[in-house]
C-alpha cells in the first residue's frame, strides 16, 4: 500500500513538473493549454493520493475542487480567451526554446539544492518531493518572464500557482481549508479578471496583445 | 522662561491673526502682536543676560515621540536678543511695507512664523525641538521668498536653490547631532554634552564636520553660500532683513553651540577649518559686494563678508581655547558675538532701507538710482549710519567689534602652537583685506545711490517711505550706534554668553563704557572719541562759516568747464567698481559682451553700441552646476529602468526570487 | 591734575603742530622737487598762504549738490584732527591716549577718505566719480598693507596701542633695526605714499584728466570748503609722516610733564618729519607716475612686505 | 462587538451601493459610513488600550496596532469617498463612463475598504493573505475604471505583478506553517494565528523561516511597492481615478506593510534580528534609491506622487529593519501622516488633471496664479510630503532617523537623508514648473469651490496638528508598537 502511495505520489508530482517544462517547450497556445490541463489533473492526483493516505476528508474535497478549477474551468476559460488572439503561436519568446529548456534544467537543479535544505526538517515521503513543486514555481515564473503573449503569461502565472499548491500539499498535507479555498477561488478570479481584460482590449480593438503595451513608461 | 513662552505664545497669536483676520485689520494687528512678542523676547533675553538663572521647559504633550524642550541660557539669550531686536523692527516695518502679495493671509502668517521660529531656535535644547524650529525657520523663509514670485521671476529659482541647500544643510546637521547623541531616547543637549566626552575622537570630528557643513551653509560661508546672494535679494525686504541679520546668525549659533557647548571644543583642526571658511568668505563676500550693482545683492554679499569675519573670530576662539589661552579665546568669541549683534542691527537697517528704496523708486539697481538724498533724506541718513557701521567708522558698532577681533588676533600671536598662529595670521589678513573693499562697496552705495543726480525716472520721482518703515529703520540704527559708542555697557552680557560656551575664565574686561582690557593692555573709548569728533566738527563748521557768504551760492556744476552736465555723464556703479573688478579679474572672472551696430552707409560710423557685463559666481559655475548636471543625467538614465515592458518588471522579481533561494 | 594739564596741552600742541606743519611739509616737498628740477619754486609757506586766501573766498555749490558736499570737508578735517589728537606725536600721553589704537587711527583716516570720495560724488560730474572711484580703489588696496604693517609693529609689544608701542620701542632700542621693523617700514612707506597721493601713485600737482585722482574729487569745491579739504589733506600728510617717524625712531618724544621735554619733542618731530618729507620728495623726483592699473602691483608688493614683516616678527621672537 | 461593527458597516454599505443605482446620495452615504469606521476605529483604539479584543471564535482579533490601522483606513477612506460624488459627476458629465460603471465604482470602493479592514482585524495570516488578494481584484477593476487604453495597460500590469507577488507571499506563508507544524513538542496544535505563531516562533527551524520570510518580504513587498516588485505602482497610481489612487497609495500600501510588520515579529523571534534587518534594509534602501533617481527626471504629475510613495515605503522598511519600539512607533505615525498627505495630494492632483486636461508636468504651469486655492493645497501637500514641519511626516522621519542611528545604522541614515534631499530638489523643481512656471496670465484667478477645498484643508490641518500635538495619539502608537515587538 505504502509503495503504491509513494509511487503514485512521485508519478503525479513528476507529472506536474514535467507538464510545466512542456509548456516551455511547446509553442502553440492550444497545446500549452492542454499541458495546463494535464498539470491540473496531476495536481488533483497528488491531493487525492495524500488524502487517501492520511484519511483527510478535507483534503479530498480540496482535491476535487482542484480538479474542477484547475483541470476544467481554467483551461476552458483560457482556451476561450486564446480564441480572441489571432496569432495562436508564441512566435518570438524573449529566450528561445532550447535555451529555455537548458535554463529550466538549471532552475530544477537549483530548486533541488534549496529544497533539500528546507525539507531536511522532516524528510518523509511526501516532503521529500517538495523540490519538485519549487521547480514548478521557478519554471512557471521563467515562462512568465520570457513569454510575450498574454495567454502564455497567464499560463505561466497558473503554473506558478500550481507549483505553490504542490508545495503546499506536499509540505503540509493541506493548509487549513479556508486558505485552500481562498487560493483556488483566487485563481479563478484571476482568470475572470484576465478574461475581462482581454475582452476589453478587444473591445477597443487597437492593440493586438496586451503584452505589446508599453505606453506607460518613464 | 515664562516670559519667553509668553513671547512665543504671542507670536503664535500673531501668526493666527495673520491667517484669520480680514485684510483691513490683518497687517496692523499681526504686526502689533508680532512686535509685542519680540519685545517680550528681548526682555526675556536681557533678564538672562543680566545674570538671571538658566531656565528650562519640557513638555511631552508637544511634538510626538520626543517632547519639546527649551532652555534659556546666556548663549541662547544672546542670539534671541539678536533675532528679537531685528524681529521687532521688521514687524513695525511690516505695517507700512506689506502690500499686495505680502499682505495676504498666507504671507502675513508665515512672516510671523518666521520671526518667532528665529526666536525659538536658539532656545531649543533637544534634537527634535531644534530641528523642528530649524526646519520651520527654513520653510517659512522659503515661502516668504516666493511671495513676490509674480513680480520677480528670479525668486522662483532662488527659492529652489535655497530650499535644496537648506535641506542638505539640515540633513547634515541632523546626522551630525544624531551621531553624538547617546540614545534616541536621550536626545537632549544636556545628555549629548555629557555623553560626548566619552566618544572616540573620530566620531566627534565627523559629527562636527557634518554639523559645520550645515551651519556654515546657513551662515552663508563660502563655498556653501551660493543660495544666499540669490535668496536674500529675492525676499521682501522685511524678510531679507531678518534672513540676513538673524537667520545667518543662527548658523553661527549652531557652530558655537555644538562645537563648544556639546562637543567641548574638540581639536584645533576643527577651528582651523572654521577660520579658513571665515577668511575665504570674508574676502570673497567683500569682493563681490564691491562689484554688485543690485543694492540687495550687494548687501547680501556684504553679509557673507561680515559673517566670514564672525567665523574667523569663532575659529580663533576655538583654536585659542585649545592652545591654553582661555582669556584671549574669550576675547575672540566675545568679538564674534558682538559683531553678530552689531551686524544684525546695521544690516537689518540697511535691508529695510533698501526695501524702502525699492518700493519708492521701483528699482534696486544702483545704476538706475542717484540723488535719493534729496527725496528720501531719512532713509539716506539710515543708510549713512548703517554704511558707516559696516565700514567700521570709529564710534559706530562695526568698529568696536572689529577692534576686539583684532585684539584677540594680536594677543593670539603669543600662542606657541603653529596652527593657532596661522589662524591668527589668517584672521588678521582677512580683517585687513576686507576693510578697504567694504569701504569701496558702501561708498558706492551712498555715493552712487544717494548722491549725484537721478539716473532714472523712478529715482527722480521717489518719495520718502511711510512713517512705520522709517520708525523701524531708525529704531535699528539706535542699537547699531549704541554698540559702537558704549559697547562696554553690555560687556558683561556677552561675557556671560561666552563663558557658557567656553567655560569660565578670568574675565578680560574692566568695566567701562568703552572696552578696556587692562590685563592685555588695550582700550578704546569710543564715547570720548565721539565727543571729540563732534566737538572738532562743530568748531570747524563754525570757523568755516566766513563773513562773505553764510549760504553758499548755487551755480552750475563746473565739471572742468563742460557746459550742460546731464545725469548720464555721471559715473555709474559699474564704472565706480570697474578698477577693482579689473584688479581682481582672476577671481571674479567678469564676462562682457560688446555689440557694435554700424551705420548703414559707412563702417566708420557707429549707430549704437551696447555693452553688457556680468559677474557669475565662480563657485556656482564651477562647483555646483556640474553636480546638478550629473544628477540630472543620472535621473535621465534611470528612466530606462521603467521602460514600460512587463517582461522586464517580472524579471526584476525573478532575479530577486533566485537570489533569495541562493542566499537563503 | 598736572597729568590732565600735560595731556591736554600736549594734545593741543600736537594738533597745532600738525595743523601748521602739514601744509609746511607739503610746501617743503614742492620746494625740494622744484630745486631738484632746477626751478626756484614757491616758498615753503605757500600752502598756508593759499589756505588763508581760500578761506575768505565765496562758497559756491553746484545746483544738484546735497548737504554732503558741505559736510564732507568738515568730516575730513575732524577725523584727521581727532586722529592727530589721540596719536602720540609730541607726547606719549596725549588726551585719549588710551584710545590711540592703531585700528582707531587707521579707520579714522579711512573715514576721511570715504568722506572725500562722497564729496567728490555728490555733484554728479564725471570727474568727481572718476576721482572717487580711483581714490577708493587705491585706498582699498593700500589699507591691508597698512593694517598688517602696523600689526607687525605691534607684535613685539603685544599691544596695538600706539603710546605703548612707542614706550616699548624706547625701552628696547635694539628692536629698531630688526628685520621685521625694516620690512614693515618699507611697507609703510609705500602705503604712506599711496595714502597721501604722491608720485608714483598720484601726482598732486597736475590736473591732467587721465591721471588725476585726488584732485578730481575736489574739482567742485571752492572757497572755504576747498580750503578745508586741502588742509585736511595736508594734515593727513603731517600725521602719516609723523607716525612713520615716531614708530621707527621714537626718541625725542616727550614722556613726562616738563616744558623742556615738550619743546624738544616738537623740535625733534619737526626734524624727523622733515627728513621723511625729504625722502618722499626724492622718491617723487626720481620716479614717474605709474599707470593706474599698474598700481595694484605696487600695493600688493607693500602688502606682501607687511605680511613678511609679521611672519619674520613671529619667527624671530 | 466593535470589530464586527467595523466590518459590518462597509459590508452593508456595499450591499446598499449594489442595490441602488448611482445617485449622489449613495456617494454621501458611503462617505458617512467611512466616517463611522473612523469613529469606530477610535473607539477600538480606546478599547484595546487595556488588551486585545476578540470576536467570532477567535478568528478576529484586534490589538492597538489593528485599531491604529483601522483609524488610518477610516481617515483616508473618508477623505477619498468624500470625493466620490464629485468624481462621478465629472466623469458622467464628461462622458467618460456610463451610470452602470458609477455603481460599479461605489461597490468596488466599498468592497476594497472591507478587504482592507478585514486584513487588519483578522487573527489568521491565511485570512490576511486572502484579504490582500481580494484587494488586488477590487483594485484591478478600479484601476481600469475609466476604460482607456492606459487604464487597461496599467491594470494588466498591476494584476500580473501583484498575482505573482501574492503567490510568492502564499508560498512564504505555507513555509511558515510548515515550520510551525514541525515545532518539537508543540502542545498548542498548529494554527496560523499571529499570537500562536509569535509564541512558537523561537522554536522554528531557521532554514525554513529564513526562506519563508524572504518570500513574504518580496511577496507582500509587491503590494507595498518595494523594490524589486514595485514596477506596477507608478502605472496603476497614474491611471486610476484620483480617489482610488488616494486610497491605494494612502492605505493599501500601508496595510500590506502592516503584514510585513507582523511577519517581522515572527521572523525576529525565530531567526534573531540580523537576517530580517539585513533583508528589510536592502529592499528599503533599494526602494529609496530607485524612487530618488526616478523622481529626478519625472515627467508626469501622478507618477511623481507614485514614486514618492515608493520612497516613503522604503523609509518605512528601513525603520522597520531597526525594529526598536521607538522606530516602530515612528513607522506607525509615518503611515498615518503619509496616508493623509498622499490622499490630499492625489485628490488635488486629480482635480488639477481634470481642469488642465493633462498630467504632464511640462504642460502645467502658473497654477498658483490661476487657481490659487487648489495650487496652494497642492503646494502645501508637497511640503508635507517632503517632511517639513509642522507636518507629522517631519517628526516621524526624524524619529525614524534617531532610532536608526541608535541601532548603529548611521550610514543608512546618511544615505537616506541624501536621497531625501535629492528628492526634495527634484520635487521642488517639478513644483516650481507647475505652480510658478510660465508667463503669468492676465486673467483673474479662478475660484475653487468649497466642497473641494474644505476637506483637503481640513486634512492638511490634521496633518499639521499630528506633527505638533502628541496627545492622545502617542499612547496608542507606543502600545501598537509594542504589539509587533517579538
Amino acid at each position: 500500500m505504502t509503495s503504491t502511495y509513494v509511487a503514485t505520489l512521485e508519478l503525479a508530482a513528476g507529472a506536474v513538473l514535467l507538464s510545466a517544462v512542456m509548456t516551455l517547450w511547446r509553442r502553440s497556445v492550444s497545446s500549452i493549454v492542454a499541458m495546463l490541463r494535464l498539470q491540473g489533473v496531476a495536481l488533483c492526483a497528488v491531493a487525492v493520493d495524500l488524502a487517501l493516505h492520511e484519511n483527510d476528508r478535507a483534503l479530498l474535497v480540496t482535491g476535487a475542487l482542484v480538479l474542477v478549477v484547475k483541470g476544467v474551468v481554467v483551461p476552458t476559460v483560457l482556451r476561450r480567451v486564446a480564441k480572441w488572439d489571432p496569432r495562436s503561436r508564441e512566435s518570438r519568446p524573449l529566450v528561445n526554446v532550447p535555451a529555455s529548456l537548458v535554463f529550466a534544467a538549471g532552475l530544477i537543479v537549483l530548486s533541488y539544492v534549496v529544497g533539500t535544505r528546507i525539507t531536511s526538517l522532516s524528510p518523509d515521503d511526501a516532503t521529500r518531493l517538495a523540490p519538485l513543486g519549487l521547480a514548478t514555481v521557478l519554471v512557471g515564473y521563467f515562462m512568465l518572464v520570457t513569454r510575450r503573449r498574454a495567454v502564455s503569461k497567464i499560463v505561466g502565472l497558473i503554473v506558478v500557482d500550481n507549483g505553490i499548491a504542490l508545495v503546499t500539499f506536499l509540505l503540509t498535507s493541506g493548509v487549513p481549508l479556508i486558505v485552500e479555498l481562498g487560493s483556488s477561488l483566487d485563481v479563478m478570479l484571476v482568470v475572470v479578471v484576465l478574461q475581462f481584460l482581454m475582452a476589453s482590449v478587444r473591445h477597443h480593438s487597437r492593440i493586438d496583445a496586451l503584452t505589446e503595451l508599453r505606453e506607460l513608461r518613464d | 522662561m515664562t516670559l519667553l513662552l509668553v513671547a512665543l505664545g504671542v507670536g503664535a497669536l500673531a501668526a493666527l491673526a495673520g491667517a484669520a483676520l480680514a485684510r483691513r485689520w490683518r497687517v496692523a494687528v499681526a504686526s502689533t502682536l508680532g512686535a509685542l512678542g519680540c519685545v517680550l523676547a528681548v526682555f526675556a533675553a536681557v533678564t538672562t543676560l543680566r545674570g538671571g538663572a538658566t531656565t528650562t521647559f519640557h513638555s511631552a504633550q508637544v511634538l510626538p515621540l520626543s517632547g519639546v524642550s527649551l532652555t534659556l541660557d546666556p548663549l541662547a539669550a544672546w542670539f534671541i536678543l539678536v533675532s528679537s531686536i531685528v524681529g521687532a523692527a521688521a514687524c513695525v516695518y511690516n505695517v507700512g511695507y506689506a502690500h499686495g502679495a505680502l499682505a495676504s493671509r498666507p504671507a502675513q502668517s508665515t512672516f510671523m512664523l518666521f520671526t518667532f521660529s528665529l526666536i525659538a531656535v536658539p532656545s531649543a535644547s533637544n534634537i527634535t525641538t531644534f530641528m523642528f524650529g530649524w526646519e520651520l525657520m527654513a520653510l517659512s523663509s522659503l515661502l516668504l521668498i516666493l511671495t513676490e514670485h509674480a513680480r520677480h521671476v528670479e525668486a522662483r529659482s532662488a527659492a529652489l536653490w535655497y530650499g535644496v541647500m537648506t535641506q542638505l544643510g539640515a540633513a547634515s546637521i541632523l546626522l551630525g547631532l544624531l551621531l553624538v547623541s547617546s540614545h534616541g531616547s536621550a536626545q537632549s543637549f544636556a545628555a549629548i554634552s555629557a555623553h560626548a566626552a566619552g566618544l572616540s575622537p573620530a566620531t566627534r570630528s565627523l559629527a562636527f564636520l557634518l554639523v559645520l557643513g550645515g551651519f556654515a551653509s546657513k551662515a552663508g560661508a563660502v563655498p556653501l553660500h551660493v543660495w544666499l546672494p540669490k535668496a536674500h535679494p529675492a525676499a521682501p525686504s522685511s524678510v531679507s532683513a531678518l534672513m540676513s541679520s538673524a537667520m545667518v546668525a543662527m548658523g553661527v549659533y549652531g557652530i558655537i553651540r555644538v562645537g563648544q557647548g556639546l562637543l567641548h571644543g574638540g581639536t584645533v583642526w576643527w577651528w582651523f577649518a572654521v577660520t579658513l571658511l571665515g577668511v575665504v568668505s570674508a574676502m570673497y563676500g567683500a569682493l563681490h559686494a564691491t562689484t554688485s550693482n543690485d543694492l540687495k545683492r550687494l548687501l547680501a554679499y556684504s553679509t557673507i563678508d561680515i559673517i566670514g569675519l564672525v567665523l574667523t573670530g569663532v575659529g580663533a576662539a576655538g583654536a585659542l581655547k585649545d592652545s591654553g589661552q582661555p582669556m584671549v579665546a574669550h576675547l575672540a568669541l566675545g568679538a564674534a558675538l558682538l559683531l553678530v549683534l552689531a551686524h544684525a542691527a546695521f544690516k537689518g537697517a540697511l535691508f529695510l532701507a533698501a526695501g524702502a528704496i525699492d518700493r519708492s523708486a521701483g528699482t534696486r539697481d544702483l545704476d538706475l538710482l542717484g540723488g535719493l538724498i534729496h527725496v528720501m533724506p531719512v532713509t539716506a541718513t539710515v543708510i549713512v549710519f548703517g554704511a558707516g557701521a559696516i565700514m567700521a567708522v570709529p564710534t559706530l558698532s562695526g568698529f568696536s567689534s572689529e577692534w576686539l577681533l583684532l585684539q584677540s588676533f594680536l594677543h593670539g600671536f603669543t600662542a606657541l602652537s603653529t596652527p593657532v598662529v596661522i589662524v591668527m595670521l589668517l584672521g588678521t589678513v582677512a580683517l585687513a583685506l576686507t576693510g578697504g573693499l567694504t569701504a569701496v562697496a558702501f561708498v558706492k552705495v551712498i555715493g552712487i545711490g544717494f548722491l549725484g543726480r537721478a539716473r532714472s525716472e523712478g529715482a527722480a520721482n521717489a518719495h520718502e517711505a511711510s512713517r512705520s518703515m522709517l520708525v523701524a529703520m531708525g529704531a535699528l540704527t539706535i542699537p547699531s550706534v549704541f554698540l559702537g559708542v558704549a559697547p562696554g555697557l553690555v560687556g558683561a552680557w556677552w561675557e556671560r554668553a561666552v563663558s557658557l560656551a567656553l567655560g569660565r575664565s578670568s574675565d578680560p574686561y574692566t568695566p567701562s563704557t568703552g572696552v578696556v582690557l587692562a590685563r592685555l593692555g588695550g582700550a578704546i573709548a569710543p564715547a570720548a572719541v565721539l565727543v571729540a569728533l563732534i566737538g572738532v566738527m562743530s568748531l570747524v563748521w563754525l570757523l568755516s562759516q566766513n563773513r562773505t557768504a553764510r549760504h553758499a551760492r548755487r551755480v552750475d556744476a563746473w565739471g572742468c568747464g563742460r557746459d550742460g552736465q546731464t545725469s548720464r555723464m555721471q559715473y555709474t556703479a559699474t564704472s565706480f567698481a570697474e578698477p577693482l573688478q579689473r584688479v581682481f579679474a582672476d577671481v571674479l572672472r567678469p564676462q562682457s559682451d560688446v555689440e557694435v551696430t554700424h551705420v548703414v552707409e559707412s563702417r566708420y560710423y557707429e549707430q549704437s553700441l551696447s555693452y553688457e557685463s556680468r559677474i557669475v559666481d565662480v563657485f556656482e559655475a564651477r562647483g555646483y552646476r556640474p553636480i546638478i548636471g550629473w544628477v540630472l543625467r543620472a535621473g535621465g538614465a534611470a528612466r530606462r529602468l521603467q521602460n514600460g515592458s512587463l517582461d522586464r518588471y517580472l524579471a526584476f522579481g525573478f532575479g530577486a526570487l533566485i537570489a533569495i533561494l541562493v542566499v537563503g | 591734575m598736572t597729568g590732565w594739564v600735560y595731556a591736554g596741552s600736549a594734545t593741543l600742541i600736537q594738533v597745532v603742530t600738525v595743523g601748521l606743519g602739514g601744509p609746511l611739509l607739503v610746501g617743503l616737498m614742492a620746494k625740494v622737487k622744484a630745486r631738484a628740477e632746477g626751478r626756484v619754486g614757491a616758498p615753503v609757506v605757500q600752502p598756508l598762504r593759499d589756505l588763508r586766501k581760500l578761506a575768505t573766498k565765496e562758497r559756491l555749490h553746484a545746483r544738484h549738490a546735497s548737504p554732503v558736499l558741505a559736510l564732507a570737508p568738515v568730516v575730513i578735517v575732524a577725523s584727521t584732527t581727532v586722529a592727530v589728537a589721540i596719536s602720540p606725536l609730541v607726547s606719549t600721553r596725549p588726551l585719549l591716549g588710551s584710545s590711540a589704537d592703531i585700528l582707531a587711527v587707521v579707520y579714522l583716516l579711512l573715514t576721511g577718505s570715504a568722506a572725500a570720495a562722497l564729496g567728490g560724488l555728490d555733484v554728479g560730474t564725471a570727474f568727481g566719480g572718476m576721482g572717487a572711484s580711483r581714490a577708493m580703489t587705491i585706498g582699498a588696496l593700500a589699507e591691508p598693507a597698512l593694517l598688517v604693517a602696523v600689526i607687525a609693529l605691534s607684535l613685539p609689544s603685544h599691544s596695538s596701542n600706539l603710546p605703548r608701542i612707542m614706550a616699548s620701542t624706547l625701552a628696547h632700542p635694539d628692536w629698531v633695526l630688526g628685520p621685521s621693523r625694516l620690512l614693515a617700514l618699507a611697507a609703510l612707506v609705500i602705503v604712506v605714499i599711496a595714502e597721501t597721493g604722491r608720485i608714483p601713485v598720484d601726482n598732486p600737482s597736475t590736473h591732467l584728466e587721465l591721471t588725476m585722482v585726488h584732485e578730481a574729487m575736489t574739482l567742485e569745491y571752492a572757497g572755504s570748503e576747498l580750503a578745508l579739504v586741502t588742509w585736511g589733506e595736508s594734515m593727513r600728510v603731517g600725521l602719516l609722516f609723523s607716525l612713520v617717524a615716531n614708530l621707527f625712531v621714537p626718541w625725542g618724544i616727550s614722556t613726562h610733564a616738563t616744558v623742556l621735554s615738550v619743546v624738544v619733542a616738537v623740535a625733534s618731530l619737526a626734524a624727523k618729519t622733515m627728513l621723511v618729507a625729504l625722502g618722499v620728495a626724492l622718491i617723487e623726483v626720481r620716479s614717474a607716475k605709474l599707470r593706474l592699473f599698474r598700481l595694484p602691483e605696487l600695493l600688493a608688493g607693500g602688502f606682501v612686505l607687511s605680511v613678511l614683516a609679521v611672519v619674520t616678527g613671529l619667527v624671530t621672537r | 462587538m466593535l470589530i464586527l461593527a467595523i466590518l459590518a458597516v462597509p459590508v452593508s454599505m456595499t450591499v446598499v451601493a449594489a442595490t441602488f443605482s448611482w445617485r449622489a446620495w449613495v456617494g454621501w452615504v458611503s462617505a458617512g459610513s467611512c466616517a463611522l469606521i473612523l469613529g469606530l476605529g477610535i473607539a477600538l483604539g480606546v478599547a484595546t488600550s487595556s488588551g486585545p479584543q476578540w470576536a467570532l471564535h477567535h478568528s478576529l482579533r484586534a490589538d492597538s496596532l489593528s485599531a491604529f490601522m483601522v483609524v488610518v483606513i477610516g481617515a483616508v477612506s473618508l477623505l477619498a469617498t468624500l470625493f466620490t460624488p464629485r468624481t462621478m459627476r465629472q466623469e458622467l458629465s464628461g462622458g467618460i463612463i456610463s451610470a452602470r460603471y458609477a455603481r460599479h465604482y461605489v461597490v468596488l470602493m466599498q468592497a476594497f475598504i472591507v478587504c482592507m479592514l478585514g486584513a487588519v482585524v483578522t487573527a489568521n495570516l491565511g485570512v490576511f493573505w486572502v484579504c490582500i488578494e481580494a484587494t488586488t481584484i477590487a483594485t484591478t477593476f478600479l484601476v481600469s475604471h475609466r476604460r482607456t487604453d492606459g487604464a487597461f495597460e496599467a491594470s494588466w500590469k498591476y494584476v500580473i505583478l501583484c498575482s505573482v507577488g501574492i503567490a510568492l507571499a502564499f508560498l512564504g506563508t505555507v513555509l511558515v506553517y510548515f515550520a510551525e507544524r514541525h515545532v518539537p513538542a508543540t502542545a498548542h496544535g498548529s494554527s496560523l494565528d499571529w499570537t500562536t505563531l509569535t509564541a512558537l516562533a523561537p522554536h522554528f527551524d531557521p532554514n525554513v523561516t529564513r526562506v519563508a520570510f524572504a518570500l513574504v518580504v518580496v511577496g507582500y513587498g509587491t503590494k507595498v511597492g518595494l523594490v524589486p516588485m514595485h514596477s506596477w505602482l507608478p502605472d496603476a497610481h497614474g491611471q486610476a481615478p484620483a480617489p482610488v489612487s488616494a486610497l491605494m497609495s494612502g492605505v493599501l500600501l500601508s496595510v500590506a506593510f502592516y503584514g510585513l510588520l507582523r511577519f517581522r515579529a515572527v521572523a525576529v523571534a525565530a531567526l534573531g534580528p540580523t537576517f530580517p534587518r539585513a533583508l528589510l534594509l536592502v529592499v528599503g534602501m533599494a526602494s529609496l534609491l530607485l524612487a530618488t533617481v526616478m523622481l529626478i527626471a519625472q515627467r508626469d504629475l501622478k507618477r511623481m506622487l507614485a514614486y514618492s510613495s515608493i520612497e516613503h515605503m522604503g523609509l518605512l522598511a528601513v525603520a522597520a529593519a531597526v525594529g526598536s519600539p521607538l522606530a516602530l512607533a515612528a513607522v506607525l505615525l509615518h503611515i498615518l501622516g503619509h496616508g493623509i498627505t498622499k490622499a490630499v495630494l492625489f485628490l488635488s492632483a486629480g482635480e488639477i488633471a481634470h481642469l488642465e486636461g493633462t498630467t504632464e508636468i511640462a504642460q502645467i504651469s502658473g497654477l498658483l496664479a490661476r487657481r490659487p486655492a487648489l495650487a496652494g493645497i497642492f503646494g502645501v501637500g508637497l511640503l508635507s510630503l517632503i517632511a517639513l514641519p509642522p507636518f507629522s511626516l517631519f517628526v516621524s522621519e526624524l524619529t525614524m532617523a534617531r532610532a536608526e542611528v541608535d541601532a548603529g545604522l548611521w550610514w543608512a541614515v546618511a544615505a537616506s537623508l541624501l536621497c531625501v534631499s535629492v528628492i526634495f530638489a527634484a520635487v521642488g523643481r517639478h513644483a516650481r514648473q507647475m505652480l510658478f512656471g510660465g508667463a503669468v496670465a492676465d486673467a483673474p484667478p479662478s475660484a475653487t469651490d468649497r466642497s473641494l477645498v474644505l476637506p483637503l484643508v481640513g486634512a492638511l490641518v490634521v496633518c499639521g496638528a499630528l506633527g505638533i500635538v502628541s496627545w492622545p495619539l502617542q499612547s496608542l502608537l507606543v502600545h501598537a508598537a509594542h504589539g509587533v515587538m517579538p
Side-chain angles (χ1 to χ4, degrees), chain B residues 286-339:
Chain B
L287 201 54
H288 269 276
T290 54
T291 51
S292 297
N293 293 335
D294 178 332
L295 179 54
K296 285 175 79 174
R297 197 174 159 85
L298 185 153
L299 292 177
Y301 270 118
S302 125
T303 299
I304 297 179
D305 163 14
I306 302 286
I307 289 298
L309 291 181
V310 170
L311 289 182
T312 317
V314 172
L320 287 166
K321 182 191 170 198
D322 190 69
S323 74
Q325 287 173 295
M327 192 157 67
V328 190
H330 272 234
L331 210 57
L333 195 58
L337 290 186
L338 184 63
L339 189 52

Side-chain angles (χ1 to χ4, degrees), chain B residues 579-580 582-584, chain C residues 131 133-142 145 190-191 193-195 197-203 210-214 287-303:
Chain B
L580 269 177
R582 199 184 273 225
V583 172
F584 292 102
Chain C
S133 165
R134 292 177 178 179
M136 288 310 292
T137 305
I138 294 169
L141 296 173
I190 292 174
V191 170
I193 287 173
E195 290 274 331
R198 319 299 304 183
I199 291 176
V201 174
D202 185 10
N203 187 350
L210 290 176
T211 60
M212 64 181 167
V213 179
H214 184 265
S287 54
K289 189 188 170 307
L290 280 175
R291 284 173 55 210
L292 185 64
F293 294 110
R294 296 286 301 281
L295 280 182
E297 295 165 18
L298 177 71
L299 294 168
F303 179 63

Side-chain angles (χ1 to χ4, degrees), chain B residues 60-66 128 135-136 139 149 156-157 163 178 183-184 187 638-639 642 644 649 652-653 656 660, chain D residues 157 214-215 218 228-229 231 294 299 307 389 395 398 402 405-406 414 417 421 424-425 432 436 466-468 470-471 474:
Chain B
Q61 301 304 322
V62 184
L63 295 187
L65 304 175
S66 61
T128 311
E135 289 281 60
L136 201 59
L139 170 64
H149 69 92
R156 303 166 186 173
S157 87
L178 287 177
H183 276 289
Q187 52 149 349
R639 285 175 44 204
Q642 207 75 5
Y649 301 166
F652 293 153
I660 286 170
Chain D
K157 289 176 179 168
L215 286 171
V218 173
M229 299 283 276
S231 315
M294 296 306 295
R299 292 184 296 186
Y307 279 112
V395 180
L398 188 114
R402 270 167 59 199
V405 171
D406 230 14
L417 282 175
S421 302
F424 182 104
R432 177 181 66 168
F436 304 108
L466 286 176
I468 298 176
S470 54
W471 182 88
Q474 178 147 353

Side-chain angles (χ1 to χ4, degrees), chain C:
Chain C
M1 195 58 210
T2 47
W4 282 97
V5 173
Y6 169 65
S9 47
T11 309
L12 210 61
I13 291 167
Q14 284 185 178
V15 172
V16 172
T17 311
V18 176
L20 292 176
L24 289 178
L25 284 176
V26 174
L28 177 69
M29 284 190 285
K31 188 79 179 173
V32 172
K33 275 169 75 179
R35 280 294 163 87
E37 289 160 358
R39 293 185 283 118
V40 178
V44 173
V45 292
Q46 188 60 40
L48 279 176
R49 287 181 187 160
D50 290 347
L51 285 178
R52 200 186 64 194
K53 184 179 73 186
L54 282 173
T56 57
K57 291 235 171 197
E58 187 187 19
R59 294 167 67 209
L60 294 176
H61 280 187
R63 290 196 204 290
H64 299 286
S66 73
V68 170
L69 189 70
L71 207 56
V74 180
V75 173
I76 297 170
V77 171
S79 62
T80 318
T81 311
V82 172
V84 168
I86 64 176
S87 304
L89 302 179
V90 171
S91 157
T92 52
R93 286 188 281 152
L95 270 182
L96 297 178
S98 65
S99 283
D101 197 90
I102 285 176
L103 203 65
V105 174
V106 169
Y107 277 100
L108 278 171
L109 289 179
L110 187 68
T111 309
S113 314
L118 289 178
L121 283 165
D122 188 43
V123 174
T125 60
F127 287 103
M130 187 182 77
S133 165
R134 292 177 178 179
M136 288 310 292
T137 305
I138 294 169
L141 296 173
E143 159 143 333
L146 174 60
L147 205 60
V148 178
V150 291
I151 290 283
L153 292 178
S154 60
L155 271 183
S157 48
H158 300 308
S159 173
S160 57
N161 185 275
L162 286 168
R164 266 182 189 247
I165 297 175
M166 288 180 193
S168 36
T169 313
L170 286 175
H172 302 273
D174 53 313
W175 287 358
V176 173
L177 287 177
S180 170
R181 281 273 157 136
L182 293 178
L183 285 167
L185 177 64
L188 267 185
V189 167
I190 292 174
V191 170
V192 165
I193 287 173
E195 290 274 331
T196 52
R198 319 299 304 183
I199 291 176
V201 174
D202 185 10
N203 187 350
S205 55
T206 177
H207 275 195
L208 190 63
E209 291 170 6
L210 290 176
T211 60
M212 64 181 167
V213 179
H214 184 265
E215 290 305 312
M217 289 194 289
T218 61
L219 276 177
E220 298 298 327
Y221 280 111
S224 57
E225 280 153 3
L226 181 58
L228 282 178
V229 173
T230 317
W231 189 38
E233 191 57 27
S234 39
M235 275 178 82
R236 202 181 167 90
V237 173
L239 172 65
L240 285 168
F241 285 10
S242 320
L243 270 180
V244 170
N246 267 356
L247 278 170
F248 288 92
V249 189
W251 290 277
I253 194 166
S254 157
T255 52
H256 50 277
T258 60
V259 177
L260 182 66
S261 77
V262 173
V263 172
V264 169
V266 172
S268 69
L269 183 69
K272 284 184 282 187
T273 46
M274 276 165 71
L275 275 177
V276 175
L278 212 61
V280 172
L282 286 179
I283 293 175
E284 282 201 288
V285 171
R286 301 194 126 262
S287 54
K289 189 188 170 307
L290 280 175
R291 284 173 55 210
L292 185 64
F293 294 110
R294 296 286 301 281
L295 280 182
E297 295 165 18
L298 177 71
L299 294 168
F303 179 63
V304 171
L305 282 177
S306 60
V307 172
L308 269 179
V310 171
V311 174
T312 322
L314 287 172
V315 172
T316 56
R317 70 181 160 181

Side-chain angles (χ1 to χ4, degrees), chain B residues 218-237:
Chain B
K218 185 60 88 182
V222 175
L224 304 168
H225 68 288
V226 281
W227 62 275
L228 196 147
K230 296 173 189 290
H232 286 202
S237 290

Side-chain angles (χ1 to χ4, degrees), chain A residues 17-59:
Chain A
L17 178 58
L18 188 65
S19 51
V21 176
M22 294 285 278
T23 53
L24 271 185
W25 185 35
R26 302 306 302 265
R27 284 177 182 241
S28 96
V29 171
S30 61
S31 55
I32 288 175
V33 172
M35 288 302 128
L36 199 64
R37 193 187 298 272
L38 170 69
Q39 193 171 45
V41 173
L43 195 61
C44 163
V46 170
V48 171
D49 196 26
L50 278 169
L52 293 177
H53 179 65
E54 308 209 342
N55 281 329
D56 186 340
R57 200 167 296 166
L59 195 52

